[in-house]
Amino acid sequence: MTDKTFSLEGKIILVTGASSGIGRACAIECARAGASVVATGRDPARLEATCDAFPRPCGAYSTSRVADLTVEKDFENLLCACPAPYDGVVHAAGISALRPFAFTKPELFEKLLALNTRIPLELTRRLLKKGMIRDGASIVFISSVAGTGSAAIGQTAYAASKSALCAAAEVMAIELAYQRTRVNCICPGVVDTPIHASVGADVGKLGVASCPLGRAGRPEEIAHAARYLLSDAAAWITGTRLVVDGGLSLR
């Protein structure tokens, strides 16, 4: 008999930021694990490429929705796209920025807090309010080791946004436990994604050099952690920060 402890078969999973990086890897991994995936992202071509990577046949409710979650109309359209209550949500949309504190203006703080903290929390709140997240579901936020005390110089605003996300998720885990809904964060270290590339080659090399395992992570390795937290194998795990960083935070 096949062990389906880590299977997502029969589940419907929403993945944001699915057009690239960790979000793309999570969407593909969930589809490979048997889930119906509702993939959303801002770039139509890249989102289509993500869905093209799904195994065939894929889940019956699998679909994609192009959405810029900073735009209220797109936000509402995504809320209306739900084929059935979700069994899981992976919040992978987000941005990074590297700026010394002395040059970090309020606009940058506001942008990072909006995209990395407020929007994923507000999306979750409205999904719950509309009954679009099933009791016993799993909510996964992609945070960062920068939000757990392992931030680098120049990450003041980014670390603040990710730390706030972790703190909020922990309170949500308590508040939603009555309906057996689990809420967890994954805190990656340096991962080979477009966001990592955007901070600059020199900074990226420094991060990798600080990693005991000697390399950047792969998006698929973060996706494996997400699959675990979405699966029944993690049924007794909530309110945790799962660090996946190759040992970076040990430094």
Side-chain angles (χ1 to χ4, degrees):
M1 184 173 64
T2 304
D3 183 359
K4 294 190 176 182
T5 305
F6 295 89
S7 173
L8 301 181
E9 188 174 345
K11 297 182 184 293
I12 304 175
I13 309 292
L14 171 66
V15 181
T16 72
S19 55
S20 67
I22 291 172
R24 169 184 164 84
C26 286
I28 294 170
E29 180 64 22
C30 288
R32 288 175 176 169
S36 292
V37 178
V38 177
T40 183
R42 292 182 299 175
D43 188 298
R46 291 192 297 176
L47 190 61
E48 182 179 359
T50 296
C51 295
D52 286 345
F54 291 176
R56 296 292 186 269
C58 57
Y61 295 106
S62 289
T63 187
S64 64
R65 288 291 186 274
V66 177
D68 180 346
L69 296 181
T70 65
V71 177
E72 179 61 25
K73 183 178 178 181
D74 285 6
F75 205 103
E76 283 293 336
N77 288 341
L78 179 60
L79 289 171
C80 296
C82 181
Y86 292 117
D87 300 282
V89 181
V90 180
H91 292 282
I95 61 170
S96 182
L98 200 66
R99 196 77 50 81
F101 177 66
F103 299 97
T104 303
K105 295 182 178 181
E107 293 79 9
L108 181 60
F109 270 107
E110 291 166 7
K111 182 177 181 179
L112 287 169
L113 286 167
L115 292 169
N116 292 346
T117 312
R118 181 179 60 79
I119 286 175
L121 294 177
E122 178 62 7
L123 177 58
T124 303
R125 187 188 72 82
R126 286 161 75 170
L127 287 171
L128 288 165
K129 187 174 181 180
K130 288 177 174 287
M132 295 164 64
I133 296 180
R134 193 185 307 277
D135 286 3
S138 174
I139 301 169
V140 178
F141 294 100
I142 304 299
S143 182
S144 168
V145 292
T148 65
S150 296
I153 292 173
Q155 287 189 318
T156 306
Y158 179 70
S161 70
K162 292 299 189 178
S163 181
L165 184 63
C166 286
E170 289 165 4
V171 178
M172 289 171 60
I174 297 170
E175 293 187 2
L176 298 178
Y178 78 96
Q179 60 191 48
R180 297 175 293 102
T181 295
R182 298 176 292 108
V183 186
N184 294 287
C185 286
I186 297 175
C187 298
V190 179
V191 180
D192 188 10
T193 66
I195 286 181
H196 173 217
S198 70
V199 302
D202 291 340
V203 174
K205 288 178 182 177
L206 181 61
V208 171
S210 300
C211 179
L213 289 184
R215 65 171 177 85
R218 296 186 291 272
E220 294 78 11
E221 292 170 315
I222 310 305
H224 295 158
R227 172 179 175 175
Y228 166 63
L229 290 173
L230 292 165
S231 75
D232 293 341
W236 209 49
I237 297 177
T238 194
T240 195
R241 304 179 185 190
L242 179 56
V243 174
V244 187
D245 70 346
L248 180 65
S249 56
L250 299 174
R251 294 295 193 186

